[in-house]
Amino acid sequence: MAVIRCRYNMAPFSVGERKRPGPDRRSVEISKITADALRPAVFLEKFPRSTIDVFIEILEAEGGTRCAGITAASVALADAGIPMRDLVVSCAAGKAGGNVILDLSEDEDKDGEADLPVAIMPRTSEITLLQMDGHLTPDEFDRALDLAVEGCKKINETQKEAIRNRYGDDNG
Amino acid sequence: MVMTMVSIVPEITRRSITELIRKGERADGRSPDDYRDIELEVGIIEKAEGSARVKMGNTQIMIGIKPQIGEPFADTPNVGVLMTNSELLPMASPTFEPGPPDERSVELARVTDRCLREGKVIDLEKLCIIEGEKVWMIFLDLHVLDYDGNLMDAAVLGSVAAILNTKIPTAKVENDKIVIDEENFMELPIKETPLMCTFAKIGGELVIDPSLDEENIMDARISIGMREDGSICAMQKGGEMPFTNEEIIKAIGITSQKTGELRKHLK
Amino acid sequence: MIFVEDKNLVVPGDVLADDEYHTGRGTFKEGNKICSSLVGLVAVRDKKISVIPLQSKYIPKRGDVVIGEITDIRFSMWNLDINSPYSGFLPASDVFGKEKRDLSKAFDVGDVLFLRVVDVDEVKKVKLGLKGRGLGKFRGGILIYITPTKVPRLIGKKGSMINMIKDETKCDIIVGQNGVVWVKGKPEMERIAERVINMIEDQAHTSGLTDRVRNMLYELLGKEIEDEEEVPEPDIEEG
């Protein structure tokens, strides 16, 4: 079986206050959950005894970087010719100002009540990433999850478009 | 992927590149004094006070600038600080490993820093806020996204472009306290625009802007930093083999012409 | 039911057909659906549906001929980079028989060889050999790296594409199944062959490639393009 390793890294200039280079606890955790989110989609058995390295560089952060990283990484895996069951697409929903909303910006996340990053394999809607931070009632969670899945499906169209654009659209 | 820290160049590739260069040609069709295509964009990272992305052929570096208020060095109490740092990202090359900066990364940051500092890009004395206590520290980060040779020339060109693009908040002293005015920005005080040219010695000849294939087989490397007036502000020799005096003088001559051409990208 | 057409561009997870069809390479079955596992072009042959990938890594197969570079010399074998996630090894006995000899006298690190994949075991240890016509060490020439899935396109039907490049540039060309191509001729002709091969790699998924390759070769060689290449399509289909 192949091994998937992931490294999520933020550029020092990607955030308001300069970030010191190198991994911290946050980036190590995000690296782990990103690898976990991608792994179910990849046919690992096709590449025994090999390692697939995924490097994610955040050049500018304005909320939702882990979701953007997962979404882009799965497109990059597909682009590399690695066989997969499906693309993986990620998007967060959450609660800010009392409302359940999609794709929290940096400010909404800071002042908001809850953040719920989700990744799915869109064909089956199976969930490969789920984190929650904050406070939600079960009903709010239900609505937020539905919203996140809906958001993921929209972003999945953009993923497919990116792949098609690489090869020109004369074969679409 | 087979992980090797140093790429082993196939013997036949080494020979074909060397033979072409001996004839005054290069594998990608350039002449010995040609740069690859250069693309330079500035102001692309909103979160950074200054930024640039430079591409030299397939080599690609993102440069970001962040200011911070800090203490001056004890021996220069009225001078601001420029800190240059580099990360050779593992996505840029199979020979770059995650982890603390290796010697190549440190060399890149230090040579870039020397060229910018001795080239007097920023008038650092104007970045003093309270003498001996508080000055602006300018952090310049080189984020190497794709490595296809000649990081130094790309890093210096991109850094100067990013510095020219930078606007930092203004800081005032009121009742012995520093007040940062986030509404009014100022450009960094610019004095000079030094640039750098790097040459590889292959088959006894010098070629400018070496590609990765050329770097992998070069005998030696010389980088020359130069101000607009033609004076030299930084040099760095690399590689295992020596240079002759004449070779270095020749490289300086070409640098004075080529830095002029590179400088047009800053306009 | 089929949901795509021949030559459609698909991505991993796209549903291609239901289970009246059979799964070919680049596809997998899930419930009663056949899905793509790759970015590639759909190929439908009778009831078999496949996806021809646009990018791939070389996965060694027994019997393939490959171009490899020696990266390391061990006690009784050479290790080779074969442009793959998997490295290969060439046993010393394949070259020396039972004789004990200094391996670096035969092949050294950096040498490039044309070899056959003799065996691939279940953990993808790749045994290489030199027994066969034309196998051995390259002297001179240049190397070009292409995506392994584009090798058939570079070779063309019965070698038509590669033979055209050989004839026009007067270069010797050897194509490894692993996407490494060796070209040897006059240096300026090697560069022309390199440009043409890179163009084929970029445009392998498009139609009318042979004509474009011929035109590019003629242009680079400064040859006149013959008028007969430009015969317009007849308006009426001939019955």
Side-chain angles (χ1 to χ4, degrees):
Chain A
M1 295 275 273
V3 175
I4 290 193
R5 294 190 303 199
C6 178
R7 176 182 183 260
Y8 164 103
N9 183 50
M10 294 185 99
F13 46 79
S14 64
V15 282
E17 181 97 348
R18 179 178 181 271
K19 189 200 161 292
R20 284 179 55 139
D24 51 27
R25 290 166 64 86
R26 175 179 172 277
S27 70
V28 170
E29 185 206 352
I30 293 177
S31 299
K32 177 188 179 291
I33 56 105
T34 299
D36 291 345
L38 296 171
R39 206 171 280 121
V42 178
F43 284 103
L44 296 169
E45 59 275 25
K46 302 253 182 184
F47 302 100
R49 210 170 52 87
S50 72
T51 304
I52 301 167
D53 276 320
V54 177
F55 299 117
I56 297 170
E57 291 297 329
I58 305 301
L59 298 174
E60 180 154 19
E62 214 252 302
T65 59
R66 76 193 64 191
C67 299
I70 290 166
T71 300
S74 97
V75 173
L77 285 169
D79 185 50
I82 292 169
M84 294 195 286
R85 286 173 185 85
D86 203 350
L87 295 171
V88 178
V89 56
S90 178
C91 184
K95 187 180 166 193
N99 297 314
V100 173
I101 57 170
L102 188 65
D103 186 26
L104 280 71
S105 71
E106 189 179 32
D107 292 339
E108 288 167 333
D109 186 26
K110 215 183 305 159
D111 305 330
E113 293 99 79
D115 183 22
L116 179 77
V118 171
I120 63 166
M121 295 189 282
R123 188 182 68 257
T124 55
S125 297
E126 287 167 290
I127 293 166
T128 68
L129 168 91
L130 182 75
Q131 293 185 293
M132 212 285 274
D133 175 15
H135 186 86
L136 290 174
T137 65
D139 174 57
E140 284 167 339
F141 169 80
D142 234 26
R143 280 192 287 143
L145 184 60
D146 283 352
L147 197 58
V149 167
E150 206 179 294
C152 286
K153 291 195 170 171
K154 243 180 230 166
I155 297 169
N156 181 233
E157 293 306 315
T158 310
Q159 288 180 306
K160 292 181 180 181
E161 207 181 299
I163 294 169
R164 277 189 216 111
N165 287 344
R166 171 148 155 65
Y167 294 100
D169 31 28
D170 50 327
N171 284 281
Chain B
M1 200 49 74
V2 187
M3 281 287 185
T4 41
M5 274 303 284
V6 185
S7 13
I8 299 160
V9 181
E11 191 48 42
I12 60 177
T13 305
R14 177 186 299 273
R15 187 172 303 170
S16 75
I17 293 175
T18 308
E19 280 170 9
L20 277 176
I21 288 176
R22 285 209 176 107
K23 289 194 296 180
E25 295 171 23
R26 295 168 84 172
D28 52 14
R30 287 186 286 162
S31 76
D33 296 347
D34 278 347
Y35 269 86
R36 293 167 289 181
D37 288 341
I38 294 172
E39 281 176 42
L40 183 60
E41 295 165 87
V42 294
I44 31 190
I45 307 287
E46 291 280 323
K47 281 271 162 75
E49 278 72 4
S51 61
R53 174 165 58 185
V54 61
K55 285 170 103 175
M56 242 172 222
N58 289 325
T59 285
Q60 187 175 173
I61 309 179
M62 184 74 87
I63 295 121
I65 289 180
K66 302 288 305 174
Q68 252 173 44
I69 291 176
E71 284 172 25
F73 292 117
D75 53 344
T76 52
N78 62 336
V79 179
V81 177
L82 173 67
M83 301 281 272
T84 306
N85 175 69
S86 101
E87 263 193 273
L88 303 182
L89 304 174
M91 67 161 64
S93 162
T95 68
F96 295 169
E97 301 276 355
D102 68 6
E103 54 184 32
R104 292 174 296 180
S105 178
V106 172
E107 184 188 33
L108 174 66
R110 284 184 56 86
V111 172
T112 305
D113 183 73
R114 219 177 301 155
C115 189
L116 300 173
R117 187 184 303 272
E118 300 305 327
K120 304 277 182 233
V121 182
I122 307 172
D123 189 351
L124 290 171
E125 288 184 19
K126 292 197 175 142
L127 295 181
C128 177
I129 304 168
I130 305 173
E131 188 171 329
E133 288 181 29
K134 295 290 176 198
V135 296
W136 279 112
M137 302 175 78
I138 306 297
F139 284 89
L140 186 149
D141 283 285
L142 302 164
H143 220 56
V144 177
L145 299 174
D146 204 352
Y147 172 45
D148 191 18
N150 196 15
L151 291 175
M152 286 186 189
D153 298 2
V156 173
L157 177 64
S159 297
V160 173
I163 289 168
L164 291 171
N165 170 252
T166 301
K167 287 195 170 70
I168 63 170
T170 41
K172 278 182 295 200
V173 185
E174 281 173 13
N175 306 328
D176 289 343
K177 271 193 158 173
I178 295 176
V179 181
I180 298 177
D181 182 350
E182 298 277 2
E183 302 283 304
N184 289 304
F185 284 81
M186 63 168 197
E187 291 181 355
L188 287 176
I190 306 293
K191 278 167 90 172
E192 298 273 351
T193 53
L195 290 170
M196 180 164 269
C197 290
T198 296
F199 302 82
K201 181 177 172 178
I202 298 167
E205 303 291 329
L206 294 181
V207 293
I208 205 167
D209 180 30
S211 67
L212 182 58
D213 281 348
E214 290 169 340
E215 278 191 3
N216 281 337
I217 65 156
M218 68 188 173
D219 295 322
R221 180 197 74 206
I222 181 80
S223 302
I224 300 161
M226 197 174 270
R227 294 194 204 167
E228 199 162 2
D229 65 2
S231 59
I232 302 164
C233 56
M235 296 179 98
Q236 185 86 342
K237 191 244 169 222
E240 290 171 14
M241 302 294 277
F243 279 107
T244 64
N245 228 327
E246 291 73 27
E247 283 167 342
I248 293 175
I249 301 295
K250 184 184 170 197
I252 291 170
I254 299 169
T255 300
S256 60
Q257 182 203 336
K258 288 289 160 180
T259 45
E261 289 174 25
L262 288 177
R263 197 164 281 111
K264 290 181 186 146
H265 290 277
L266 296 173
K267 299 279 151 30
Chain C
M1 269 286 274
I2 184 159
F3 309 109
V4 289
E5 285 171 33
D6 202 47
K7 297 211 166 119
N8 272 177
L9 178 69
V10 293
V11 306
D14 278 353
V15 180
L16 308 176
D18 65 18
D19 56 4
E20 303 168 25
Y21 284 80
H22 307 294
T23 54
R25 62 184 284 216
T27 69
F28 64 99
K29 202 168 167 189
E30 192 178 70
N32 58 355
K33 289 181 206 150
I34 294 171
C35 305
S36 174
S37 64
L38 293 166
V39 175
L41 302 182
V42 173
V44 190
R45 301 287 173 266
D46 301 319
K47 285 278 167 187
K48 188 168 153 193
I49 190 160
S50 316
V51 173
I52 313 301
L54 289 165
Q55 293 288 329
S56 68
K57 293 279 167 256
Y58 174 65
I59 303 299
K61 269 200 337 281
R62 187 211 290 225
D64 281 357
V65 284
V66 297
I67 295 175
E69 183 203 345
I70 295 183
T71 54
D72 191 14
I73 302 180
R74 298 286 176 86
F75 177 64
S76 62
M77 62 182 179
W78 293 270
N79 280 342
L80 290 99
D81 177 347
I82 49 169
N83 194 35
S84 164
Y86 304 102
S87 58
F89 71 96
L90 175 66
S93 59
D94 199 80
V95 178
F96 301 138
K98 282 187 181 156
E99 255 183 274
K100 286 265 177 287
R101 282 172 60 187
D102 179 2
L103 274 73
S104 64
K105 290 269 159 55
F107 304 124
D108 210 345
V109 170
D111 281 354
V112 178
L113 276 59
F114 189 40
L115 317 109
R116 185 175 299 282
V117 176
V118 174
D119 193 33
V120 182
D121 73 9
E122 64 278 8
V123 292
K124 305 270 183 201
K125 277 187 79 173
V126 183
K127 185 175 169 185
L128 302 164
L130 283 173
K131 292 200 174 70
R133 233 185 78 198
L135 302 184
K137 176 177 156 178
F138 290 114
R139 289 188 171 76
I142 61 168
L143 298 174
I144 302 159
Y145 299 84
I146 65 167
T147 305
T149 49
K150 293 176 182 174
V151 164
R153 199 77 164 115
L154 172 59
I155 291 170
K157 284 200 183 82
K158 293 183 181 153
S160 57
M161 187 80 89
I162 201 75
N163 286 334
M164 177 167 73
I165 304 172
K166 283 185 194 172
D167 290 347
E168 294 295 339
T169 62
K170 308 275 186 297
C171 286
D172 289 329
I173 305 180
I174 289 176
V175 184
Q177 300 293 127
N178 59 337
V180 185
V181 184
W182 175 82
V183 178
K184 185 178 179 182
K186 286 191 183 151
E188 62 275 19
M189 290 297 162
E190 290 176 356
R191 296 300 152 188
I192 288 176
E194 179 180 30
R195 284 178 64 181
V196 170
I197 291 168
N198 287 335
M199 186 273 257
I200 294 170
E201 176 176 34
D202 282 349
Q203 303 188 12
H205 60 290
T206 62
S207 51
L209 188 59
T210 314
D211 287 344
R212 283 203 303 284
V213 169
R214 186 184 294 114
N215 290 349
M216 185 179 177
L217 272 168
Y218 284 9
E219 201 189 310
L220 292 172
L221 294 164
K223 275 172 81 166
E224 289 282 314
I225 296 169
E226 291 157 47
D227 282 345
E228 60 194 324
E229 309 297 343
E230 306 279 354
V231 180
E233 300 255 333
D235 288 330
I236 314 152
E237 219 169 292
E238 281 162 57

